Each structure stands twice: as structure tokens, then as C-alpha cells.
Coordinates of all heavy atoms in Angstrom, one line a residue:
L24 N -10.0 134.8 -144.9 CA -10.0 133.8 -145.9 C -11.4 133.5 -146.3 O -11.7 133.3 -147.5 CB -9.3 132.5 -145.5 CG -9.2 131.4 -146.5 CD1 -8.5 131.8 -147.8 CD2 -8.5 130.2 -145.9
A25 N -12.3 133.3 -145.3 CA -13.7 133.0 -145.6 C -14.4 134.1 -146.5 O -15.1 133.8 -147.4 CB -14.5 132.8 -144.3
F26 N -14.1 135.4 -146.1 CA -14.6 136.5 -146.9 C -14.2 136.4 -148.4 O -15.0 136.6 -149.3 CB -14.2 137.8 -146.3 CG -14.7 138.0 -144.9 CD1 -13.9 138.8 -144.0 CD2 -15.8 137.5 -144.4 CE1 -14.3 139.0 -142.7 CE2 -16.2 137.6 -143.1 CZ -15.4 138.4 -142.2
G27 N -12.9 136.1 -148.5 CA -12.4 136.0 -149.9 C -13.0 134.8 -150.7 O -13.4 135.0 -151.9
L28 N -13.2 133.7 -150.0 CA -13.8 132.6 -150.7 C -15.3 132.8 -151.1 O -15.7 132.5 -152.1 CB -13.7 131.3 -149.8 CG -12.3 130.7 -149.7 CD1 -12.3 129.6 -148.7 CD2 -11.7 130.3 -151.1
L29 N -16.0 133.5 -150.1 CA -17.4 133.8 -150.4 C -17.5 134.8 -151.5 O -18.5 134.7 -152.3 CB -18.1 134.3 -149.1 CG -18.3 133.2 -148.0 CD1 -18.8 133.9 -146.7 CD2 -19.4 132.2 -148.5
W30 N -16.6 135.7 -151.6 CA -16.6 136.7 -152.7 C -16.3 136.0 -154.0 O -17.0 136.2 -155.0 CB -15.6 137.8 -152.4 CG -15.3 138.6 -153.6 CD1 -16.1 139.6 -154.1 CD2 -14.1 138.5 -154.4 NE1 -15.5 140.1 -155.3 CE2 -14.3 139.5 -155.5 CE3 -13.0 137.7 -154.4 CZ2 -13.3 139.7 -156.5 CZ3 -12.0 137.9 -155.4 CH2 -12.2 138.9 -156.4
K31 N -15.3 135.1 -154.0 CA -14.9 134.4 -155.2 C -16.0 133.6 -155.8 O -16.2 133.4 -157.0 CB -13.6 133.6 -155.0 CG -13.1 133.0 -156.2 CD -11.8 132.2 -155.9 CE -11.2 131.7 -157.2 NZ -9.9 130.9 -156.9
R32 N -16.8 133.0 -154.9 CA -17.9 132.1 -155.3 C -19.2 132.9 -155.6 O -20.2 132.3 -155.9 CB -18.2 131.1 -154.2 CG -17.0 130.1 -154.1 CD -17.4 129.0 -153.1 NE -16.3 128.0 -153.1 CZ -16.3 126.9 -152.4 NH1 -17.4 126.6 -151.7 NH2 -15.3 126.0 -152.3
G33 N -19.1 134.2 -155.5 CA -20.3 135.1 -155.8 C -21.3 135.1 -154.7 O -22.4 135.6 -154.9
R34 N -21.0 134.7 -153.5 CA -22.0 134.7 -152.4 C -21.9 136.0 -151.6 O -22.8 136.4 -150.9 CB -21.8 133.5 -151.5 CG -21.9 132.2 -152.2 CD -22.1 131.1 -151.3 NE -23.4 131.2 -150.6 CZ -23.7 130.5 -149.4 NH1 -22.7 129.7 -148.9 NH2 -24.8 130.7 -148.9
L35 N -20.8 136.7 -151.7 CA -20.6 138.1 -151.1 C -20.2 139.0 -152.2 O -19.4 138.7 -153.0 CB -19.6 138.1 -150.0 CG -19.9 137.7 -148.6 CD1 -18.7 137.8 -147.7 CD2 -21.1 138.6 -148.1
R36 N -20.9 140.2 -152.3 CA -20.5 141.2 -153.2 C -19.2 141.8 -152.8 O -18.8 141.7 -151.7 CB -21.6 142.2 -153.4 CG -22.8 141.7 -154.1 CD -23.9 142.8 -154.1 NE -24.4 143.1 -152.8 CZ -25.4 143.9 -152.6 NH1 -26.0 144.5 -153.6 NH2 -25.8 144.2 -151.3
S37 N -18.5 142.4 -153.8 CA -17.2 143.0 -153.5 C -17.2 144.0 -152.3 O -16.4 144.0 -151.5 CB -16.6 143.7 -154.8 OG -16.5 142.8 -155.8
R38 N -18.2 144.8 -152.4 CA -18.3 145.8 -151.3 C -18.6 145.2 -149.9 O -18.0 145.6 -148.9 CB -19.4 146.8 -151.6 CG -19.6 147.9 -150.5 CD -20.7 148.9 -150.9 NE -20.3 149.6 -152.2 CZ -21.1 150.5 -152.7 NH1 -22.2 150.9 -152.2 NH2 -20.7 151.1 -153.9
E39 N -19.4 144.1 -149.9 CA -19.7 143.4 -148.6 C -18.4 142.8 -148.1 O -18.1 142.9 -146.9 CB -20.8 142.4 -148.8 CG -22.1 143.0 -149.2 CD -23.2 142.0 -149.6 OE1 -22.8 140.9 -150.1 OE2 -24.4 142.3 -149.4
A40 N -17.7 142.1 -149.0 CA -16.5 141.4 -148.5 C -15.4 142.4 -148.1 O -14.7 142.1 -147.1 CB -15.9 140.5 -149.7
A41 N -15.3 143.5 -148.8 CA -14.3 144.5 -148.5 C -14.6 145.1 -147.1 O -13.7 145.4 -146.3 CB -14.2 145.5 -149.6
T42 N -15.9 145.4 -146.9 CA -16.3 146.0 -145.7 C -16.0 145.1 -144.5 O -15.5 145.5 -143.5 CB -17.8 146.4 -145.7 OG1 -18.1 147.3 -146.8 CG2 -18.3 147.0 -144.4
A43 N -16.4 143.8 -144.6 CA -16.2 142.9 -143.5 C -14.7 142.7 -143.3 O -14.3 142.7 -142.1 CB -16.8 141.5 -143.9
A44 N -13.9 142.7 -144.3 CA -12.4 142.6 -144.1 C -11.8 143.8 -143.4 O -11.0 143.6 -142.5 CB -11.7 142.3 -145.5
L45 N -12.3 145.0 -143.8 CA -11.8 146.2 -143.2 C -12.2 146.3 -141.7 O -11.4 146.7 -140.9 CB -12.3 147.4 -144.0 CG -11.6 147.6 -145.3 CD1 -12.3 148.8 -146.0 CD2 -10.1 147.9 -145.2
V46 N -13.4 145.9 -141.4 CA -13.9 145.9 -140.0 C -13.1 145.0 -139.2 O -12.7 145.2 -138.1 CB -15.4 145.6 -140.0 CG1 -15.9 145.3 -138.6 CG2 -16.2 146.8 -140.6
T47 N -12.9 143.8 -139.8 CA -12.1 142.8 -139.0 C -10.7 143.2 -138.8 O -10.1 143.0 -137.7 CB -12.2 141.4 -139.8 OG1 -13.5 141.0 -140.0 CG2 -11.4 140.3 -139.1
L48 N -10.0 143.7 -139.8 CA -8.7 144.2 -139.7 C -8.6 145.4 -138.7 O -7.6 145.4 -137.9 CB -8.1 144.6 -141.0 CG -7.8 143.5 -142.0 CD1 -7.5 144.0 -143.4 CD2 -6.7 142.6 -141.5
A49 N -9.5 146.3 -138.7 CA -9.5 147.4 -137.8 C -9.7 146.9 -136.3 O -9.0 147.4 -135.4 CB -10.7 148.4 -138.1
G50 N -10.6 145.9 -136.2 CA -10.8 145.3 -134.8 C -9.5 144.6 -134.3 O -9.1 144.8 -133.2
A51 N -8.9 143.9 -135.2 CA -7.6 143.2 -134.9 C -6.5 144.2 -134.5 O -5.8 144.0 -133.6 CB -7.2 142.3 -136.0
G52 N -6.5 145.3 -135.2 CA -5.5 146.3 -134.9 C -5.8 147.0 -133.6 O -4.8 147.2 -132.8
A53 N -7.0 147.2 -133.2 CA -7.4 147.7 -131.9 C -7.0 146.8 -130.8 O -6.5 147.2 -129.7 CB -8.9 148.0 -131.9
V54 N -7.2 145.5 -131.0 CA -6.8 144.5 -130.0 C -5.3 144.5 -129.8 O -4.8 144.5 -128.6 CB -7.2 143.1 -130.5 CG1 -6.6 142.0 -129.6 CG2 -8.7 142.9 -130.5
R55 N -4.5 144.6 -130.9 CA -3.0 144.7 -130.7 C -2.7 146.0 -129.9 O -1.8 145.9 -129.1 CB -2.4 144.8 -132.1 CG -2.7 143.6 -133.0 CD -1.7 142.5 -132.9 NE -2.0 141.6 -131.9 CZ -3.0 140.7 -131.9 NH1 -3.8 140.6 -133.0 NH2 -3.2 139.9 -130.9
A56 N -3.4 147.1 -130.2 CA -3.0 148.3 -129.5 C -3.3 148.3 -128.0 O -2.5 148.7 -127.2 CB -3.8 149.5 -130.1
V57 N -4.5 147.7 -127.6 CA -4.9 147.6 -126.2 C -3.9 146.7 -125.5 O -3.5 146.9 -124.4 CB -6.3 147.2 -126.1 CG1 -6.7 147.0 -124.6 CG2 -7.2 148.3 -126.7
N58 N -3.6 145.5 -126.2 CA -2.7 144.6 -125.5 C -1.4 145.2 -125.3 O -0.7 145.0 -124.3 CB -2.6 143.3 -126.4 CG -3.8 142.4 -126.3 OD1 -4.4 142.3 -125.3 ND2 -4.0 141.6 -127.3
G59 N -0.9 146.0 -126.3 CA 0.4 146.7 -126.1 C 0.4 147.7 -124.9 O 1.3 147.8 -124.2
L60 N -0.8 148.4 -124.8 CA -0.9 149.3 -123.7 C -0.8 148.6 -122.3 O -0.1 149.0 -121.4 CB -2.2 150.1 -123.8 CG -2.6 151.0 -122.6 CD1 -1.5 152.1 -122.5 CD2 -4.0 151.6 -122.8
V61 N -1.6 147.5 -122.2 CA -1.6 146.7 -121.0 C -0.2 146.2 -120.7 O 0.2 146.3 -119.5 CB -2.6 145.6 -121.1 CG1 -2.5 144.6 -119.9 CG2 -4.1 146.1 -121.2
A62 N 0.5 145.7 -121.7 CA 1.8 145.1 -121.4 C 2.8 146.2 -121.0 O 3.6 146.0 -120.1 CB 2.3 144.5 -122.7
A63 N 2.6 147.4 -121.6 CA 3.5 148.5 -121.3 C 3.3 149.0 -119.8 O 4.3 149.4 -119.1 CB 3.4 149.7 -122.2
K64 N 2.1 148.9 -119.4 CA 1.8 149.5 -118.0 C 2.0 148.4 -116.9 O 2.4 148.8 -115.8 CB 0.3 149.9 -118.0 CG 0.0 151.1 -118.8 CD 0.6 152.3 -118.3 CE 0.2 153.6 -119.1 NZ 0.9 154.8 -118.6
L65 N 1.8 147.2 -117.2 CA 1.9 146.2 -116.2 C 3.1 145.2 -116.2 O 3.4 144.5 -115.3 CB 0.6 145.3 -116.2 CG -0.7 146.1 -116.0 CD1 -1.9 145.1 -116.0 CD2 -0.7 146.9 -114.7
W66 N 3.7 145.2 -117.4 CA 4.8 144.2 -117.5 C 6.1 145.0 -118.0 O 6.9 144.4 -118.6 CB 4.5 143.1 -118.5 CG 3.8 142.0 -117.9 CD1 4.3 140.9 -117.3 CD2 2.3 141.8 -117.8 NE1 3.3 140.1 -116.8 CE2 2.1 140.6 -117.1 CE3 1.3 142.6 -118.2 CZ2 0.8 140.2 -116.9 CZ3 0.0 142.2 -118.0 CH2 -0.2 141.0 -117.3
V67 N 6.3 146.2 -117.6 CA 7.4 147.0 -118.0 C 8.6 146.4 -117.2 O 8.6 146.2 -116.0 CB 7.3 148.5 -117.7 CG1 8.5 149.2 -118.0 CG2 6.1 149.0 -118.5
G68 N 9.8 146.4 -117.9 CA 11.0 146.0 -117.2 C 11.5 144.6 -117.6 O 10.8 143.8 -118.3
D69 N 12.7 144.3 -117.3 CA 13.4 143.0 -117.6 C 13.2 142.1 -116.4 O 13.7 142.4 -115.3 CB 14.8 143.3 -117.9 CG 15.5 142.0 -118.3 OD1 14.9 140.9 -118.2 OD2 16.7 142.1 -118.8
P70 N 12.5 141.0 -116.5 CA 12.2 140.1 -115.4 C 13.5 139.5 -114.8 O 13.6 139.1 -113.7 CB 11.3 139.1 -115.9 CG 11.5 139.1 -117.4 CD 11.8 140.5 -117.7
R71 N 14.6 139.5 -115.6 CA 15.8 138.9 -115.2 C 16.5 139.7 -114.1 O 17.3 139.2 -113.4 CB 16.8 138.7 -116.3 CG 16.3 137.6 -117.3 CD 17.2 137.6 -118.6 NE 17.0 138.9 -119.3 CZ 17.7 139.1 -120.5 NH1 18.5 138.2 -121.0 NH2 17.5 140.3 -121.1

């Protein structure tokens, strides 16, 4: 949201805002992937 607001107010250029958003989304996706791997390896099974 901050990247979008800074772009809308002209403080970030389109390329800068888009690059930051893509880097952030890629990082967030990597976090989801690693967390999924850890969960699959260490918390497999039905605790009930």
C-alpha cells in the first residue's frame, strides 16, 4: 500500500514502485514456500 501511495503522489516512479512491489511479493511467496516445507516435514499427520 505504501508503494502505491508513494507512486500516486509522485514520490516513486512507476518502475521503482513496480520493482519494490515485485521484490516484496516474491519474498512473501518464498516465505510461504519455506513455511510449507517446514510444516510438511515436522508437522505431518493428524494430531487427533
Side-chain angles (χ1 to χ4, degrees):
L24 178 61
F26 301 149
L28 289 175
L29 288 172
W30 166 77
K31 186 175 182 180
R32 295 186 177 184
R34 303 195 66 198
L35 274 180
R36 290 177 292 184
S37 298
R38 182 176 297 180
E39 293 171 335
T42 298
L45 288 174
V46 168
T47 303
L48 288 171
V54 168
R55 304 269 85 73
V57 176
N58 282 331
L60 174 64
V61 171
K64 292 293 184 179
L65 300 183
W66 276 272
V67 176
D69 186 349
R71 291 172 296 181

